[in-house]
Amino acid sequence: MPFQFPGQGKPPVGIVFDSDLGNGIDDALALAMLYGFEGKSEARLISTSTTKSCLRAAAFCDALAKFYAGPPPQGAVAAFQRPAPPIGMADNGKMAEDTAVLKAVLEKKTPEGKPVYAQSILKMNDTADPTALIRNAFTAQNDENCLVVLAGPATNLVKVLDLPGTVDLIKHKVKFLAVAAGSYPDGRSDFNIKTDVAAAKRLFAEWPTPIVAAGAEVGAALPFPGSSIEKDFAWAPDHPIADAYRAFRPMPYDAPAPAMAAVLYAVHPDGYFKLSDPGTIGVLEDGRTKFTPSPEGRHRYLVVDPAQKEKVIQTYVEMASAKPTVRAPRFRGGKKNQVDPPKATEPPKKQ
């Protein structure tokens, strides 16, 4: 049963975010956007994990979490400070290479030679098993008050399906899965699909809730404006998203953003996008996706609404560049904000 205090209503929707953070910039922007929504109490980031089997990818995720947590409230007692969430990381050796995005954030130093961005993940034991982490996040939620955003290969999610009782748990807890992968109704090969074709096939065939896909065509039509990096992120002399963005490609450039589209639809399914008719998404051996219309199908894909394009990009910028929200200590009873509920179980640490 989810933990809840007397007088507390249904909390904002909980988001499980799984990606290959560090390979590109779209995932980092999408995660920043989630922190922006969390600051406005429009969503809760309840689980963060990466399929990139690289300790520095987990450290990058940890650095973002600490940056967006902001400083502790003035006069806060340590016991009431929000603990750093565990970061799940795959350990299968795939996509283990370092990248310019990771280096730009993790290796940035102050004039005194200290890391600019706080980070605490230094060894494998500092990360969590992503399958247990995700399963535990589901367990702690109210029924149908959880969403999953997949912005990388499906490797971690299909392993979650293999845990005993988890398929039934997902049916009760998760409203839908938003996937940033593929091209629709059909198109070119996709990196997130091609990296683990077998996992992608299983995910679309076996995931027990509706799936909504944000394809490459949506990402290309609604890119994140590079001009925003110098303008809207300038409130911080050092900003990890701005540093990562500049490192990914030579400036100036606009970044295709299917993961941001997936996050925006997950948090606000109305008012930004159109949806395709229902059908089934299939995966081909070369990493392409193929959509087959069917009235009984549980899959749909996002369709750009030209009338909402400016609104979508404005929301991308506003949420991704939002300042961290300092959260005061929270207490029972409704007079002050509530204490964050404890985890259902502690995910096992890697050895």
Side-chain angles (χ1 to χ4, degrees), residues 29 53 96 159 162 181 204 233 245 276 285 325 327:
L29 287 166
S53 186
K159 288 186 176 180
D162 290 332
F204 286 113
F233 292 76
Y245 197 99
S276 71
E285 291 296 335
T325 300
R327 296 176 183 271

Side-chain angles (χ1 to χ4, degrees), residues 40-56:
K40 293 183 68 177
S41 297
E42 294 179 13
R44 294 171 299 122
L45 183 60
I46 59 173
S47 169
T48 311
S49 51
T50 176
T51 47
K52 185 171 174 63
S53 186
C54 172
L55 195 61
R56 284 165 68 87

Side-chain angles (χ1 to χ4, degrees), residues 226-250:
S227 60
S228 171
I229 295 299
E230 307 300 338
K231 181 175 60 175
D232 299 295
F233 292 76
W235 57 265
D238 295 295
H239 198 299
I241 296 298
D243 287 335
Y245 197 99
R246 295 186 189 105
F248 183 55
R249 287 181 187 166

